[in-house]
Amino acid sequence: RELRKDISQLRMQQRKNENGRHQAAITHPILPHTMFMKATRLLQKHSSLTDGIKRLRVHAIKQFDRHKAACSIECNRILEAIADNKKYNVALRRRSDTLQIKLESEIEQRKNMIDEIRISKGNIRVFARIRPMKPEEYKIDEEAKFTVMSDGIQYNQESFQLDRAFGPSKTQEEVFKEFEKTVLTCMDGYDVCVYAYGQTASGKTFTMEGDLQDPEKCGLMLRTIN
């Protein structure tokens, strides 16, 4: 913009000089010495302005060529980056397709394994969980003795065969691990139902819900959602 402004001012000055010289020639056919000197100075100034315009024009052309070259280099760099991104996207798409195929294969294998587990262990499984006894309960039945085994409970002289039994020391996480595979079958479209059965204060709510404020004591429902 400044260059254009300078060129415009030089051209206006040039026009004024030419008009002044033309008027001097008309009004004074025979120029006195002073007018001749003034005309000479105007001609010199005109020549100087013409040379200035030429220099500005050459400078402007050089600046334009310099900016043009810089823009060309930047455009080439951007085009190369776009080409590299296209190649990268193609590679990512191929990688994604490969992983998708592998994922589908893994899902199918997991379904087959879950079906085998379900068939081997049965569709209905019965677990038992023994909560810690309270002091007042020991007073009621001081002779009560029970033993928790992995597949059952022995209470005094009676034995109860189960799919799995959890003693008082078992944590919420250990109990959930036994249910986790069954819960995951919901994601494969199977119907799953887990419910707790027992008398009042036997620990059903604690097993299913637990303590919502303590992550280590969260029950089956919250762990399933998470």
Side-chain angles (χ1 to χ4, degrees):
R1 292 180 182 178
E2 293 179 358
L3 181 62
R4 291 178 180 175
K5 186 177 179 180
D6 293 340
I7 293 174
S8 177
Q9 290 178 355
L10 289 172
R11 286 179 176 171
M12 290 176 64
Q13 186 66 31
Q14 183 181 3
R15 291 193 193 99
K16 288 180 181 180
N17 293 338
E18 290 177 351
N19 292 335
R21 185 176 60 181
H22 183 65
Q23 290 293 333
I26 293 174
T27 30
H28 303 283
I30 301 174
L31 294 175
H33 179 69
T34 54
M35 295 299 293
F36 177 77
M37 295 299 295
K38 187 175 181 180
T40 302
R41 287 194 298 270
L42 288 173
L43 288 173
Q44 290 175 350
K45 192 171 184 180
H46 174 266
S47 178
S48 176
L49 291 173
T50 302
D51 293 340
I53 291 174
K54 288 180 180 179
R55 288 194 299 271
L56 288 173
R57 185 177 300 166
V58 171
H59 178 71
I61 292 173
K62 289 182 179 179
Q63 288 281 46
F64 175 77
D65 291 340
R66 189 179 297 111
H67 288 300
K68 180 180 178 182
C71 291
S72 177
I73 293 173
E74 184 66 17
C75 288
N76 291 335
R77 188 186 66 80
I78 293 174
L79 290 174
E80 290 176 359
I82 292 173
D84 292 340
N85 285 335
K86 287 182 178 179
K87 292 179 181 179
Y88 183 70
N89 290 336
V90 170
L92 282 180
R93 192 176 297 109
R94 291 176 180 173
R95 177 65 175 167
S96 176
D97 294 340
T98 302
L99 291 176
Q100 182 66 29
I101 294 172
K102 187 175 180 180
L103 176 63
E104 292 175 357
S105 175
E106 293 291 335
I107 290 175
E108 187 65 27
Q109 290 181 12
R110 188 168 66 89
K111 286 183 178 180
N112 294 335
M113 292 176 63
I114 291 175
D115 287 341
E116 291 178 3
I117 293 173
R118 185 171 54 85
I119 293 172
S120 63
K121 293 187 177 182
N123 288 332
I124 299 176
R125 303 176 66 191
V126 180
F127 296 165
R129 187 180 189 186
I130 308 299
R131 65 165 174 78
M133 293 183 66
K134 300 177 182 179
E136 56 269 21
E137 292 175 335
Y138 283 108
K139 295 178 182 179
I140 295 174
D141 191 357
E142 297 180 355
E143 301 297 328
K145 294 181 180 180
F146 63 87
T147 303
V148 180
M149 298 169 289
S150 61
D151 59 350
I153 297 174
Q154 184 173 356
Y155 177 74
N156 292 336
Q157 301 300 323
E158 297 184 65
S159 297
F160 302 91
Q161 193 72 22
L162 306 165
D163 292 298
R164 187 74 164 81
F166 303 96
S169 61
K170 295 297 182 181
T171 63
Q172 296 280 64
E173 183 178 1
E174 290 175 311
V175 174
F176 178 73
K177 283 183 178 179
E178 197 66 36
F179 287 85
E180 188 174 10
K181 294 180 180 179
T182 304
V183 169
L184 285 176
T185 58
C186 288
M187 305 301 295
D188 298 322
Y190 292 98
D191 294 328
V192 178
C193 175
V194 178
Y195 71 93
Y197 177 80
Q199 65 186 32
T200 303
S202 60
K204 301 183 299 297
T205 303
F206 181 77
T207 298
M208 299 302 291
E209 297 182 7
D211 187 351
L212 303 181
Q213 305 301 324
D214 188 349
E216 294 185 358
K217 295 182 180 180
C218 291
L220 296 180
M221 291 191 296
L222 187 59
R223 292 175 184 272
T224 299
I225 297 172
N226 289 341

